[in-house]
Amino acid sequence: MDGVLVHEGQALPGAAEFLQRLVEKERRFLVLTNNSIFTPRDLAARLVRSGLEVPEESIWTSALATADFLASQLPGGSAYVIGEAGLTTALHEAGYTMTDTAPDYVVLGETRTYSFESITRAIRLIDAGARFIATNPDVTGPSPEGPLPATGSVAAMITRATGAEPYFVGKPNPMMFRSAMNRIEAHSESTMMVGDRMDTDVVAGIEAGLDTILVLTGSTRATDVSRFPFRPGRVCDSIADVLELV
């Protein structure tokens, strides 16, 4: 989503036309984001304010992927959750109970206000046997004032305190793409990933068996591509250049 369709709340050139082309051609699609703060309804509303029409059922977040993963691993389980509505809602709808008493999992997501008390509680629960899950490994997130510590940074702190490495569900774990494809009944042979980051989007797309397109409107610059040991299927200046491929 960010860096491909929008940047700092503004639609990128060609984004609206690209989404319209997908609808006209009756292509099944999902808009993916590692952000676990917001629900799909929240994100759909934010996209509308940017001038982009994306139904909430066409949005797939790391929170949804995490809830989907946990429901397949331990149906009806329990979790101590550090996160916002996007994560707690997804887990609740997946049949999970939120508790701070002997949970099956500690689940860490993004939040605007990480508290010392909640992190301490997570450390003690993991020490007591709870399994450690995190929505994504992103160490920083953007803000108008500069980078903010994100899930990966807080996960590292908990790992140093407990010795327990989390299982990250979101990108670059290809599981997020596989769960997304299951959601829309798609197959890797006929699915394409469009992303702006080599280190998350493209590598996860390749590992999930997808054709990949890197657009240069986000985090990765053209001069960065050659530094990686893998390459995208195509490199395009922006989503506007992907229109002809739909």
Side-chain angles (χ1 to χ4, degrees):
M1 188 170 79
D2 295 313
V4 176
L5 299 178
V6 294
H7 177 67
E8 294 183 354
Q10 300 296 316
L12 287 164
E17 294 82 359
F18 177 74
L19 291 168
Q20 183 59 37
R21 180 71 61 86
L22 292 174
V23 173
E24 290 172 354
K25 295 284 189 177
E26 298 184 347
R27 303 290 193 223
R28 287 167 288 170
F29 72 94
L30 285 177
V31 174
L32 270 64
T33 176
N34 254 1
N35 190 314
S36 65
I37 291 177
F38 303 105
T39 67
R41 181 173 298 176
D42 296 332
L43 292 170
R46 290 164 69 91
L47 287 168
V48 164
R49 290 196 293 272
S50 301
L52 302 177
E53 294 280 348
V54 179
E56 59 182 276
E57 60 269 19
S58 295
I59 296 174
W60 190 245
T61 70
S62 64
L64 292 172
T66 298
D68 184 70
F69 170 74
L70 290 179
S72 69
Q73 290 287 301
L74 184 63
S78 62
Y80 177 70
V81 181
I82 300 176
E84 303 272 345
L87 182 56
T88 56
T89 300
L91 288 167
H92 176 76
E93 292 179 349
Y96 259 63
T97 300
M98 263 60 84
T99 180
D100 63 355
T101 303
D104 298 306
Y105 296 96
V106 165
V107 182
L108 175 66
E110 211 133 4
T111 174
R112 304 177 186 89
T113 54
Y114 291 108
S115 82
F116 183 79
E117 182 181 355
S118 63
I119 292 170
T120 300
R121 185 64 180 157
I123 288 167
R124 291 172 180 171
L125 290 170
I126 291 168
D127 279 341
R131 287 155 283 185
F132 188 17
I133 300 287
T135 56
N136 67 82
D138 300 351
V139 292
T140 61
S143 81
E145 295 78 27
L148 297 170
T151 310
S153 295
V154 180
M157 181 164 57
I158 294 173
T159 293
R160 286 299 298 268
T162 62
E165 295 280 350
Y167 182 69
F168 292 109
V169 176
K171 300 178 294 180
N173 189 340
M175 177 177 292
M176 185 168 175
F177 286 169
R178 293 193 188 105
S179 63
M181 287 189 288
N182 289 338
R183 173 79 171 248
I184 58 173
E185 298 181 343
H187 300 285
S188 58
E189 295 84 359
S190 57
T191 302
M192 182 171 284
M193 188 289 307
V194 184
D196 74 303
R197 293 184 63 119
M198 287 289 288
D199 56 348
T200 57
D201 302 325
V202 172
V203 68
I206 290 170
E207 290 180 2
L210 310 181
D211 193 3
T212 58
I213 295 178
L214 175 73
V215 294
L216 301 175
T217 46
S219 298
T220 303
R221 297 168 297 180
T223 53
D224 296 332
V225 176
S226 62
R227 295 191 295 105
F228 290 87
F230 50 86
R231 293 188 61 81
R234 297 175 179 83
V235 178
C236 296
D237 288 334
S238 74
I239 195 69
D241 300 316
V242 187
L243 270 170
E244 63 186 34
L245 301 174
V246 177

